[in-house]
Amino acid sequence: MTLYSITGDEEGYVGCNGGVYGSNGQPPKNLKPDYGLRLLRDGISPDVDQVFTDFRLGSLTVLGLGQYSTMVEMLHAGKVHALSLDFGQAQLDRILLRGNLELSKFIKAQIDVDPATPRTIDFDGEIFFGVRARLGELQKVEKEVFVPLVAQEILDFEEP
């Protein structure tokens, strides 16, 4: 699978069901550098659209009521980076329309159990979708620093 971004030549995507955030400075061996932080450090403006035609939802993190995130790994500048994508309820609803009915029902049922408590929902399978996103705000969690991409629009591209 290949992701295309309008910011450069980043090709060669590797999907995953999870991932890790980057860290400030030299990352430990088990952490991947953060894609959003890399773009920010490269001078990419938060107003620049990042377009991914073949994104994969392989797990879902509930951040709060109607707020979600997912993570993938992608190759950028010869290194595998962690990419965090944040999105809201309307975008999740559009993503779930692209998945098979059984998987979409499972994800909705898991959210309905507790729609507000932060947690990760793991599941078998993936949902493919296109997304237009922009750099979000710098986040700091314990020793980790990262910049999520924030979905602006879920795009209708054909499944690979």
Side-chain angles (χ1 to χ4, degrees):
M1 174 172 78
T2 302
L3 291 180
Y4 298 95
S5 171
I6 63 172
T7 62
D9 299 328
E10 34 296 9
E11 291 188 30
Y13 170 84
V14 180
C16 72
N17 290 337
V20 292
Y21 295 117
S23 65
N24 193 10
Q26 186 68 15
K29 290 183 181 181
N30 62 339
L31 295 178
K32 309 265 187 301
D34 181 67
Y35 180 72
L37 189 58
R38 169 72 186 258
L39 292 180
L40 187 65
R41 288 180 177 166
D42 287 349
I44 301 301
S45 168
D47 297 329
V48 174
D49 285 342
Q50 309 289 317
V51 177
F52 303 95
T53 60
D54 193 6
F55 209 89
R56 294 179 186 216
L57 179 73
S59 68
L60 180 69
T61 299
V62 177
L63 301 173
L65 185 61
Q67 299 175 319
Y68 308 98
S69 185
T70 192
M71 297 221 28
V72 296
E73 292 178 349
M74 69 174 291
L75 189 62
H76 175 77
K79 291 184 181 178
V80 176
H81 286 70
L83 186 159
S84 175
L85 178 70
D86 291 354
F87 46 94
Q89 188 64 53
Q91 286 109 348
L92 177 61
D93 292 343
R94 289 228 31 215
I95 292 167
L96 294 179
L97 288 173
R98 305 225 4 114
N100 73 50
L101 187 57
E102 184 177 312
L103 179 55
S104 294
K105 282 183 178 181
F106 173 80
I107 293 169
K108 286 178 187 179
Q110 292 298 307
I111 292 170
D112 287 345
V113 168
D114 182 357
T117 301
R119 68 191 186 287
T120 297
I121 300 169
D122 292 312
F123 46 85
D124 292 326
E126 296 178 314
I127 300 175
F128 297 86
F129 62 99
V131 63
R132 180 176 60 84
R134 293 184 176 175
L135 288 174
E137 298 292 322
L138 184 72
Q139 306 287 313
K140 296 179 182 178
V141 180
E142 295 179 16
K143 296 180 182 180
E144 301 172 52
V145 177
F146 65 99
V147 178
L149 272 70
V150 178
Q152 304 297 305
E153 178 183 15
I154 303 304
L155 306 170
D156 292 320
F157 291 109
E158 291 301 314
E159 189 172 318

